[in-house]
Amino acid sequence: MSGSNDAPRGGSGWRRPSVILAVLAVGFAVCTVLRPAPPAPVEAPNQASAGLVSEFSGVATVSDGDTIRIGTQRFQLDGIAAPTRTVRCGDVNVYRAATDALRDVTRSRQVVCRISNQPDAQGQSRARCRIEDVELNAYMVEAGWAREWPRAGAYAEQEAAARAAERGVWSPSCPADVWGP
């Protein structure tokens, strides 16, 4: 037998499965290399006691010394408490004085509020609100028309300054129980 060939008929029949496997391996390798990496987990921004869920802006209507409305949304200023309706310091109705102070600083100005996802005890939205570079929550505490509440340290410096200067409810004419029992 002259020139016998061990290869089966059809020429390269025994090589086909290995060629197919090689093509598949190369295709898999290319897909693996070219596949985009999964996105890195995004860290939530560092927020105070509550998460940020939305932001509202507009001209505010003042309800009282620590509550405003923007459109139909009503917000409790987060981290502070203003005097209640019945509180007086000598001849001064401090509830009205606190309300007027907030009304004066917000009058016809654009207010931006960042809303917390944790409502207050009555289910009302809480917010940190600003007019340009003035945070209203801190302003009310430093002016003496609100106090830091709950006592978490967010506005401790502002309250200490108001107490030292005897501003607002920290004046000598205010009773020691101005905030209630």
Side-chain angles (χ1 to χ4, degrees):
M1 295 196 156
S2 68
S4 94
N5 190 349
D6 293 336
R9 290 189 183 222
S12 60
W14 65 274
R15 289 185 228 146
R16 280 192 186 145
S18 53
V19 169
I20 291 171
L21 287 175
V23 168
L24 287 174
V26 169
F28 178 76
V30 168
C31 288
T32 302
V33 169
L34 295 179
R35 182 181 70 203
V42 177
E43 268 189 52
N46 186 13
Q47 297 164 4
S49 61
L52 173 67
V53 294
S54 59
E55 192 171 90
F56 284 84
S57 64
V59 175
T61 302
V62 174
S63 301
D64 60 31
D66 58 9
T67 310
I68 65 171
R69 284 185 189 276
I70 298 176
T72 60
Q73 294 291 318
R74 183 176 172 150
F75 309 113
Q76 172 77 33
L77 296 181
D78 193 22
I80 72 169
T84 59
R85 288 186 185 272
T86 60
V87 177
R88 297 188 74 79
C89 290
D91 294 336
V92 178
N93 177 331
V94 290
Y95 169 83
R96 181 171 301 272
T99 303
D100 290 346
L102 186 55
R103 189 173 287 127
D104 288 346
V105 75
T106 61
R107 190 176 317 275
S108 301
R109 297 177 73 194
Q110 187 78 7
V111 177
V112 178
C113 293
R114 290 182 166 209
I115 315 309
S116 165
N117 66 356
Q118 297 176 345
D120 69 8
Q122 291 78 35
Q124 185 172 301
S125 296
R126 298 182 318 165
R128 303 258 175 169
C129 299
R130 305 182 80 74
I131 294 176
E132 296 172 7
D133 62 345
V134 176
E135 184 188 318
L136 297 177
N137 311 48
Y139 170 83
M140 291 300 290
V141 174
E142 192 159 3
W145 297 121
R147 73 183 298 186
E148 175 189 40
W149 193 261
R151 312 299 281 169
Y155 300 108
E157 279 184 40
Q158 291 85 350
E159 187 172 312
R163 284 176 184 250
E166 298 181 334
R167 288 190 290 261
V169 297
W170 308 113
S171 75
S173 63
C174 283
D177 66 346
V178 71
W179 298 106

